[in-house]
Amino acid sequence: DKVRWVPQGVDCRLFALGAVRAPRQSGWKLLYVGRFDERKGLGVLLAAMALLRQRRSDVTLRLIGGSPVSGTAVAFREQARRNGLDDCVEFLDELPWEQIPARMAAADVLVLPSLYESFGIVLVEAMACGRPVVATRCGGPEDIVTPETGVLVRAGDPQALADGVEQTLAGYARYDPAALRRHVEERYDYRRIADRLAALYREVVATGPAAR
């Protein structure tokens, strides 16, 4: 009863609500933001994209991040080539942080296929831009993703990930961008987090050393 959970926060002034798109006319745009690393599930994501492309041709994927230490980006590019995904998967190196919000707002769905996450801040950032998310049950995302904000699937399973993406696209109309943003503003905006921390410190000070 003396444990308090305070999540990471995002700047909702930076991650702004994106314009409404017409994805059915221009194709669905999936986005991944993070390291190009096996632990982030990129191999699983590319395998899921190969499954999706067997079913439909209106889905593309953009990956933003890079892997300056391990160099695994080369292996992922090769995997995409082997699976015939050159025309629908785009790899971008790490971008300046101030460019990320616009990239999120230009996408339809953010996908985080990690094998392990302690939190998953990119999920919150995408939701602040009014975008639903597809993530794996791998730790942190379970505390963030709800049926109103996206879909959770089994980690490490390309079929489950592809099905989760299709489920999200099929029910896309039920994700209200303004509601997604309000969800983040109420729970994760930096200012709300600061208020919660300040209240916690006041609570601790008020109890006095004896109570602690």
Side-chain angles (χ1 to χ4, degrees):
D1 63 346
K2 293 185 179 180
V3 175
R4 302 292 186 271
W5 180 77
V6 181
Q8 291 179 265
V10 300
D11 187 347
C12 287
R13 293 175 299 189
L14 177 65
F15 290 89
L17 195 63
V20 177
R21 294 184 62 252
R24 290 175 183 261
Q25 299 175 13
S26 57
W28 296 99
K29 300 181 185 299
L30 309 181
L31 177 68
Y32 166 86
V33 178
R35 296 190 313 277
F36 294 172
D37 191 306
E38 283 291 352
R39 288 172 295 180
K40 288 290 189 178
L42 257 67
V44 177
L45 177 55
L46 291 171
M49 270 298 293
L51 293 173
L52 284 169
R53 291 291 282 193
Q54 292 174 10
R55 309 172 190 172
R56 55 197 304 165
S57 60
D58 62 344
V59 178
T60 59
L61 170 65
R62 172 177 286 166
L63 303 106
I64 299 175
S67 186
V69 176
S70 65
T72 51
V74 175
F76 292 128
R77 290 175 189 270
E78 176 60 22
Q79 179 183 351
R81 188 196 63 77
R82 287 197 314 270
N83 284 278
L85 301 176
D86 288 342
D87 64 330
C88 62
V89 173
E90 178 186 14
F91 289 87
L92 296 178
D93 290 331
E94 185 175 359
L95 296 176
W97 62 267
E98 63 268 19
Q99 294 183 22
I100 299 300
R103 301 283 186 168
M104 287 184 169
D108 298 307
V109 180
L110 181 113
V111 184
L112 186 64
S114 302
L115 305 182
Y116 169 79
E117 283 286 344
S118 58
F119 187 64
I121 192 67
V122 293
L123 299 171
V124 180
E125 293 168 345
M127 288 154 50
C129 296
R131 301 305 183 242
V133 299
V134 176
T136 51
R137 296 185 184 92
C138 63
E142 291 98 309
D143 292 326
I144 300 172
V145 183
T146 69
E148 293 73 36
T149 62
V151 172
L152 285 168
V153 303
R154 186 168 54 252
D157 187 335
Q159 185 67 64
L161 188 59
D163 291 345
V165 169
E166 285 223 281
Q167 178 185 339
T168 304
L169 301 185
Y172 199 79
R174 71 185 181 88
Y175 297 109
D176 178 12
L180 288 169
R181 180 170 177 80
R182 284 195 302 272
H183 179 84
V184 172
E185 288 176 326
E186 293 168 0
R187 293 167 176 79
Y188 301 103
D189 183 76
Y190 276 146
R191 285 151 287 276
R192 293 293 183 104
I193 300 302
D195 290 342
R196 288 179 62 179
L197 287 172
L200 270 176
Y201 280 116
R202 286 193 293 268
E203 179 185 341
V204 170
V205 170
T207 60
R212 299 196 295 275

